[in-house]
């Protein structure tokens, strides 16, 4: 059995978010075909600031999402399907997000930073030039500050794509200083008992490497931070993408096990 056949993909979107394709069932069937025994759907939670229809489902769709994922789980007993969600972090909506998360029985929550405090979406291709104008180092610093803040809230279980500012290949000028910021965020993540994910979507982006980078992953391993695997699939064929490579990356970083989210159990890497 290949590595990806054994590790659950916990970062899978659906067409509800407005920028993914394929029926939710198609994602599940792909996971089953790969031999996964567990997976999680984690579509984008509605945002309460800076929202646009192409970013996340609308608030009035959330109940339907929850119902649809639970229905999928009932329809495909051959795989355990968890109800997850990927929540954006904004300082001013912490309370609102906390209320919405508490209102539904999500199995886990991925906390992600895609926006700076003023709503600048640094992972959107339309902003690729503006990133340079704003300053790449400043974006990295601010994103790690927000990741640490997010970890401190206790609202989230897994940190999504830790070093997302690298998506388009932008590298900090002062790499050593930025790495210190990242390590600070990791210390907060460890203290909060959160996990990080290896997100394989980075291999499909201009940067051409998974999130987080090998050095950050090694820091996470050294801190004892649990690890999950996610493809960030926005199309059914992306489920489980590059999980074999991801397992190699995890091993090289010092990981021997992955976190199974259904029971928070530790499972040896294949
Ligand atoms: Zn998305
Ligand atoms: Fe994301
Ligand atoms: Fe995602
Ligand atoms: Zn994501």
């Amino acid at each position: 059995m290949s590595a990806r056949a054994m590790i659950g993909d916990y970062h899978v979107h659906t067409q509800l978010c407005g920028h993914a394709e394929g029926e939710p069932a198609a994602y599940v069937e792909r996971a089953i075909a790969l031999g996964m025994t567990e997976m999680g759907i984690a579509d984008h939670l509605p945002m309460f600031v800076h929202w646009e229809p192409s970013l996340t489902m609308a608030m009035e769709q959330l109940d339907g999402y929850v119902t649809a994922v639970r229905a999928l789980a009932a329809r495909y007993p051959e795989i355990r399907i968890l109800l997850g969600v990927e929540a954006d972090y904004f300082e001013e909506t912490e309370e609102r997000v906390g209320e919405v998360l508490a209102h539904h029985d999500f199995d886990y929550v991925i906390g992600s930073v895609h926006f700076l405090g003023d709503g600048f979406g640094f992972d959107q291709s339309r902003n690729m030039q503006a990133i340079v104008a704003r300053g790449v180092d400043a974006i990295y610093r601010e994103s790690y500050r927000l990741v640490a803040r997010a970890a401190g809230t206790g609202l989230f279980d897994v940190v999504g794509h830790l070093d997302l500012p690298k998506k388009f290949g932008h590298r900090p000028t002062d790499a050593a200083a930025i790495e210190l910021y990242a390590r600070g965020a990791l210390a907060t993540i460890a203290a909060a008992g959160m996990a990080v994910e290896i997100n394989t979507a980075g291999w499909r982006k201009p940067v051409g490497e998974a999130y987080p980078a090998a050095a950050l992953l090694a820091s996470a391993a050294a801190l004892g931070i649990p690890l999950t695997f996610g493809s960030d699939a926005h199309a059914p064929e992306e489920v489980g993408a590059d999980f074999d490579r991801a397992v190699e990356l995890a091993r090289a970083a010092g990981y021997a096990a992955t976190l199974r989210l259904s029971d928070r159990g530790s499972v040896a890497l294949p």
Side-chain angles (χ1 to χ4, degrees):
M1 200 183 278
S2 73
R4 67 182 178 184
M6 303 173 69
I7 290 180
D9 189 342
Y10 294 120
H11 196 146
V12 172
H13 291 274
T14 78
Q15 58 193 3
L16 261 186
C17 70
H19 58 269
E21 58 190 64
E23 293 296 326
Y27 290 79
V28 172
E29 286 174 11
R30 175 70 177 158
I32 293 169
L34 290 170
M36 288 182 195
T37 55
E38 175 163 320
M39 71 178 298
I41 311 278
D43 213 344
H44 298 280
L45 190 76
M47 294 159 49
F48 305 110
V49 281
H50 311 298
W51 183 78
E52 294 172 33
S54 63
L55 292 174
T56 76
M57 68 183 88
M59 192 57 206
E60 55 269 26
Q61 292 175 294
L62 183 57
D63 286 337
Y65 167 70
V66 168
T67 305
V69 173
R70 292 301 189 202
L72 274 179
R75 180 174 153 197
Y76 292 97
E78 59 270 56
I79 185 168
R80 187 192 298 264
I81 301 174
L82 302 188
L83 170 64
V85 76
E86 178 179 16
D88 276 273
Y89 176 73
F90 293 101
E91 288 170 285
E92 67 267 41
T93 62
E94 271 179 26
E95 203 173 325
R96 184 86 198 275
V97 168
E99 286 165 8
V100 171
L101 292 177
H103 186 73
H104 298 278
D105 58 340
F106 292 112
D107 295 313
Y108 64 95
V109 182
I110 299 175
S112 290
V113 172
H114 306 98
F115 299 88
L116 303 185
D118 65 354
F120 179 72
F122 60 83
D123 81 324
Q124 295 176 22
S125 50
R126 69 182 180 193
N127 289 333
M128 217 186 300
Q129 307 302 322
I131 289 167
V132 176
R134 282 183 80 114
V136 171
D137 289 37
I139 290 172
Y140 274 94
R141 275 199 309 273
E142 173 73 351
S143 77
Y144 288 133
R145 185 185 73 78
L146 291 170
V147 166
R149 288 269 318 195
T153 66
L155 291 173
F156 313 113
D157 302 296
V158 181
V159 179
H161 38 64
L162 178 70
D163 52 356
L164 183 63
K166 74 183 179 184
K167 176 174 176 177
F168 302 114
H170 298 105
R171 296 297 186 178
T173 308
D174 191 348
I178 297 305
E179 181 141 343
L180 274 182
Y181 273 90
R183 286 173 197 274
L186 282 170
T188 310
I189 291 163
M194 291 175 70
V196 297
E197 65 170 3
I198 289 191
N199 183 311
T200 64
W203 274 312
R204 309 192 295 275
K205 306 299 182 196
V207 67
E209 63 176 56
Y211 315 101
L216 291 181
L217 200 58
S219 297
L223 287 164
I225 296 173
L227 183 70
T228 63
F229 287 71
S231 66
D232 218 337
H234 285 73
E237 64 271 19
E238 291 172 351
V239 171
D242 291 313
F243 273 26
D244 292 313
R245 275 171 91 183
V247 168
E248 283 172 38
L249 189 64
R251 283 196 176 284
Y255 277 101
T258 180
L259 178 68
R260 184 173 52 214
L261 285 173
S262 57
D263 61 355
R264 311 288 154 139
S266 177
V267 181
L269 288 175

